[in-house]
Amino acid sequence: TMDRSRHPEVDTFCLYGSNISTSFSFRFSGDAMSSDPVETLFMEGDDNQEIFDNSFCNVWASEKESQQFYFEAKAFPNVHHMDMISDSAVLEEIHRIIQRYI
């Protein structure tokens, strides 16, 4: 597991989805392995997909260690988990990041 309280001591780029309704529970009429959910329950709150988990890296921005390394965090509204690998804005951001090191 990752120690989220400690800066990774490398240049850090956090890219994460935001403004996404998050399902947290499913109710099934029978066995979960052999039936479809009859109800999906969603998280209450800020309507962000686990925004704390996605943006936890922002705590590093104010740490002493972070002053030695480049840090950048960027949210991508309405970009879901698997969309991160195909969303054009995310891919453009990754390309921009890679260009910093070429």
Side-chain angles (χ1 to χ4, degrees):
T1 61
M2 183 174 184
D3 178 2
R4 294 181 182 199
S5 64
R6 186 171 183 270
H7 191 283
E9 299 181 13
V10 295
D11 290 351
T12 304
F13 300 87
C14 292
L15 309 179
Y16 56 92
S18 65
N19 301 101
I20 302 167
S21 295
T22 303
S23 58
F24 74 93
S25 179
F26 302 95
R27 292 191 179 149
F28 296 87
S29 60
D31 180 8
M33 299 303 287
S34 62
S35 64
D36 291 331
V38 294
E39 183 179 12
T40 302
L41 304 175
F42 293 88
M43 294 177 68
E44 295 179 14
D46 62 9
D47 197 36
N48 278 319
Q49 187 278 321
E50 300 286 13
I51 195 64
F52 176 78
D53 284 343
N54 279 344
S55 62
F56 76 88
C57 57
N58 285 293
V59 302
W60 298 330
S62 61
E63 291 184 8
K64 178 182 169 188
E65 294 88 346
S66 69
Q67 307 310 310
Q68 302 168 40
F69 302 98
Y70 187 82
F71 175 84
E72 189 175 327
K74 185 170 184 177
F76 292 87
N78 304 311
V79 177
H80 293 260
H81 300 286
M82 293 307 292
D83 294 340
M84 293 293 287
I85 60 173
S86 62
D87 183 81
S88 61
V90 174
L91 295 176
E92 287 174 22
E93 185 67 15
I94 292 170
H95 183 261
R96 184 189 67 77
I97 292 167
I98 292 170
Q99 293 299 312
R100 289 179 51 91
Y101 299 96
I102 294 179

